[in-house]
């Protein structure tokens, strides 16, 4: 499978759960997906595959774990490496979906009206941590 094809599959894989969390949050399948996290786990497998299939540039190992210790090192991991960028993207998709699943589960547990959760979920989908931040602020603002 090419990196481009994997990119398309990864993007398509997350969409059903995001849609279900927004429009059918109480449906049994939505609850299973948000609690068991099968889609992020599939993405984790894809992530590991692409992370360890980054071609070497001839200047040392393809994946240099010391590179994670500096911003310039992290930047070098992504320069010109489709596989590295794909692994990074899949990482974002997986953890944004985990954050969104947390927002849905925790909000439901706390009895927060779903209307308050939708903007948080949309932000988690598009801008990951900002949706989690908004949810935290909403939790602070709403009475328990």
């Amino acid at each position: 499978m090419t990196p481009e094809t994997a990119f398309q599959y990864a993007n398509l894989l997350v969409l059903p759960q995001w849609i279900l969390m927004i429009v059918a949050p109480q449906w049994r399948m939505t609850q299973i997906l948000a609690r068991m996290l099968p889609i992020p786990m599939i993405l984790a497998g894809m992530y590991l595959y692409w992370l360890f299939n980054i071609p070497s540039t001839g200047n040392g190992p393809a994946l240099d774990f010391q590179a994670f210790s500096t911003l310039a090192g992290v930047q070098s991991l992504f320069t010109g490496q489709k596989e590295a960028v794909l692994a990074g993207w899949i990482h974002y998709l997986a953890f944004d979906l985990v954050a969104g699943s947390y927002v849905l589960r925790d909000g439901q547990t706390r009895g927060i009206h779903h209307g308050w959760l939708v903007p948080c979920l949309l932000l988690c989908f598009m801008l990951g941590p900002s949706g989690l931040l908004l949810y935290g602020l909403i939790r602070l603002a709403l009475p328990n």
Side-chain angles (χ1 to χ4, degrees), residues 21-144:
M21 288 193 307
I22 292 167
V23 302
Q26 298 296 332
W27 190 42
R28 185 172 179 267
M29 182 56 65
T30 308
Q31 295 295 309
I32 290 169
L33 290 171
R35 282 188 171 76
M36 297 183 67
L37 303 173
I39 294 172
M41 291 191 192
I42 293 168
L43 290 170
M46 292 176 69
Y47 167 75
L48 287 173
Y49 174 83
W50 289 104
L51 185 66
F52 289 103
N53 281 288
I54 300 169
S56 176
T57 59
N59 298 331
L63 184 60
D64 178 9
F65 287 103
Q66 287 183 341
F68 289 102
S69 65
T70 67
L71 181 57
V74 171
Q75 182 181 0
S76 73
L77 292 172
F78 295 104
T79 305
Q81 300 284 359
K82 281 185 184 181
E83 294 82 1
V85 174
L86 176 60
W89 181 248
I90 292 171
H91 184 278
Y92 281 119
L93 290 175
F95 276 98
D96 289 354
L97 190 53
V98 169
S101 296
Y102 166 77
V103 166
L104 180 67
R105 287 191 325 264
D106 191 68
Q108 289 175 337
T109 299
R110 293 174 184 274
I112 297 174
H113 188 276
H114 190 67
W116 289 104
L117 301 180
V118 170
C120 304
L121 292 170
L122 290 171
L123 279 174
C124 280
F125 176 59
M126 298 303 296
L127 303 168
S130 62
L132 193 58
L133 174 62
L134 178 61
Y135 177 67
L137 294 173
I138 287 172
R139 274 185 39 189
L140 287 173
L142 293 177
N144 287 337

